[in-house]
């Protein structure tokens, strides 16, 4: 695999207590996996392959919070680092109407190889960073497509996902709803501010990344989903990071946790 690394981490001189993570940062298919999983470039550019805009937003948010970050560097279609190892969607065979040809008849040996080559190195590095300080607060960044095929358009600009640990999520939702700068930004789009509480997805599942590195260790955590059309460009990513960074910082401070 030459000098390929399945993750990117930013740690130098970052003293903030947040750890900003991005499980679906890129649509990269490693060279050793031939024919781009049998998919055309048009499909690899879609949300099925990665979280559009999430990488740039993550890097800028981490910079503004002066906190370390870790990001995957392989497509979720290779193997999904935000799934538990026994999750049936760990390797997707069909996603939003698209068959993944190279995954359609994948065997256990190839799944095990991808686990060892991509998935576990990412999670080992993730846990190492999460363990650096006892008061770490994990902020997992994802993006969601504005509309799935044959489904209504999603109204939320931001979704905050949680399971039973709402120490950060509950106050963060309120802070987002009360933010005038955020409301103003959304009104410029001709929309009303709509913050999803476990929308457009339901919280966490056993063995997923936040469960593994936060819930099971009692670490503070929040998972943020941003609608991808809001963060497609570098300019958008920086603007939205500038909106959310002070809210995250103040919320963490106000909780006293």
């Amino acid at each position: 695999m030459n000098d390929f690394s399945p993750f990117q981490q930013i740690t130098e001189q970052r003293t903030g207590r947040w750890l900003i993570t991005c499980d679906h940062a890129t649509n990269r298919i490693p060279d050793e996996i031939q024919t781009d999983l049998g998919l055309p470039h048009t499909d690899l550019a879609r949300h099925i392959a990665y979280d559009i805009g999430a990488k740039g937003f993550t890097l800028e948010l981490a910079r503004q919070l002066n906190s370390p970050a870790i990001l995957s560097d392989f497509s979720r279609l290779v193997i999904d680092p935000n799934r538990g190892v026994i999750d049936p969607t760990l390797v997707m065979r069909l996603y939003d109407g698209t068959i993944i040809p190279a995954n359609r008849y994948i065997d256990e040996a190839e799944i095990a190889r991808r686990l060892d080559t991509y998935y576990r190195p990412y999670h080992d590095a993730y846990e190492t960073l999460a363990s650096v300080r006892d008061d770490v607060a994990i902020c997992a960044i994802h993006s969601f497509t504005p509309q799935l095929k044959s489904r209504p358009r999603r109204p939320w600009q931001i979704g905050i996902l949680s399971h039973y640990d709402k120490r950060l999520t509950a106050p963060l939702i309120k802070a987002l709803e009360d933010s005038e700068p955020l409301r103003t930004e959304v009104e410029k789009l001709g929309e009303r501010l709509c913050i999803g509480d476990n929308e457009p997805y339901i919280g966490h599942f056993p063995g997923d990344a936040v469960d593994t590195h936060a819930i099971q260790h009692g670490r503070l955590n929040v998972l943020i989903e941003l609608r991808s059309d809001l963060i497609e460009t570098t300019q958008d990513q920086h603007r939205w990071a500038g909106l959310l960074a002070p809210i995250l910082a103040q919320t963490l401070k106000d909780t006293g946790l």
Side-chain angles (χ1 to χ4, degrees):
M1 293 188 64
N2 302 322
D3 59 350
F4 172 79
S5 173
F7 59 88
Q8 175 187 4
Q9 58 183 359
I10 311 296
T11 60
E12 294 81 1
Q13 299 179 342
R14 298 289 178 89
T15 59
R17 61 181 288 199
W18 293 96
L19 171 59
I20 315 299
T21 72
C22 190
D23 298 329
H24 301 145
T26 78
N27 59 355
R28 181 176 183 179
I29 309 297
D31 292 342
E32 65 167 5
I33 297 179
Q34 300 297 315
T35 69
D36 286 340
L37 295 172
L39 291 170
H41 292 302
T42 51
D43 277 330
L44 291 177
R46 294 174 57 214
H47 69 96
I48 64 172
Y50 72 123
D51 282 359
I52 295 169
K55 178 179 179 179
F57 177 84
T58 295
L59 292 172
E60 179 60 16
L61 183 68
R63 186 192 69 80
Q64 293 195 28
L65 292 171
N66 191 33
S67 292
I70 184 165
L71 308 89
S72 67
D73 197 16
F74 55 92
S75 172
R76 65 192 301 170
L77 297 179
V78 174
I79 194 162
D80 194 329
N82 192 38
R83 297 292 186 269
V85 294
I86 62 172
D87 192 308
T89 63
L90 177 68
V91 178
M92 295 293 285
R93 294 162 173 81
L94 174 70
Y95 195 179
D96 196 20
T98 297
I99 293 172
I100 317 305
N103 292 348
R104 189 172 185 179
Y105 302 111
I106 193 170
D107 59 22
E108 292 302 315
E110 176 59 11
I111 292 174
R113 189 193 69 79
R114 294 186 194 181
L115 280 167
D116 287 342
T117 306
Y118 311 110
Y119 183 100
R120 291 195 174 99
Y122 171 73
H123 281 284
D124 288 347
Y126 189 147
E127 182 58 31
T128 296
L129 287 178
S131 301
V132 167
R133 53 189 303 163
D134 293 336
D135 63 347
V136 68
I138 293 174
C139 178
I141 298 299
H142 293 260
S143 73
F144 63 93
T145 189
Q147 187 171 9
L148 294 169
K149 289 184 177 179
S150 303
R151 300 285 183 88
R153 183 173 173 83
R154 290 161 159 172
W156 309 279
Q157 294 89 28
I158 303 171
I160 303 298
L161 277 57
S162 63
H163 186 36
Y164 60 83
D165 183 0
K166 298 185 181 294
R167 292 175 294 171
L168 272 179
T169 57
L172 180 59
I173 288 172
K174 185 177 188 306
L176 291 168
E177 291 175 339
D178 292 345
S179 170
E180 284 303 321
L182 188 58
R183 188 177 306 279
T184 299
E185 181 66 28
V186 168
E187 288 175 351
K188 291 178 184 177
L189 305 171
E191 302 179 20
R192 296 183 64 180
L193 181 62
C194 186
I195 306 298
D197 184 352
N198 280 329
E199 297 283 1
Y201 307 110
I202 297 172
H204 304 299
F205 295 95
D208 70 13
V210 170
D211 179 61
T212 297
H213 300 289
I215 302 294
Q216 294 181 23
H217 299 271
R219 293 169 177 148
L220 288 172
N221 65 91
V222 62
L223 190 154
I224 299 176
E225 290 268 4
L226 293 119
R227 207 176 69 206
S228 62
D229 61 323
L230 303 176
I231 54 169
E232 287 181 335
T233 69
T234 299
Q235 183 179 5
D236 291 339
Q237 292 154 13
H238 286 207
R239 184 170 65 256
W240 279 83
L243 289 166
L244 265 62
I247 298 174
L248 281 163
Q250 190 62 48
T251 299
L252 183 57
K253 180 180 179 181
D254 289 347
T255 64
L257 296 170

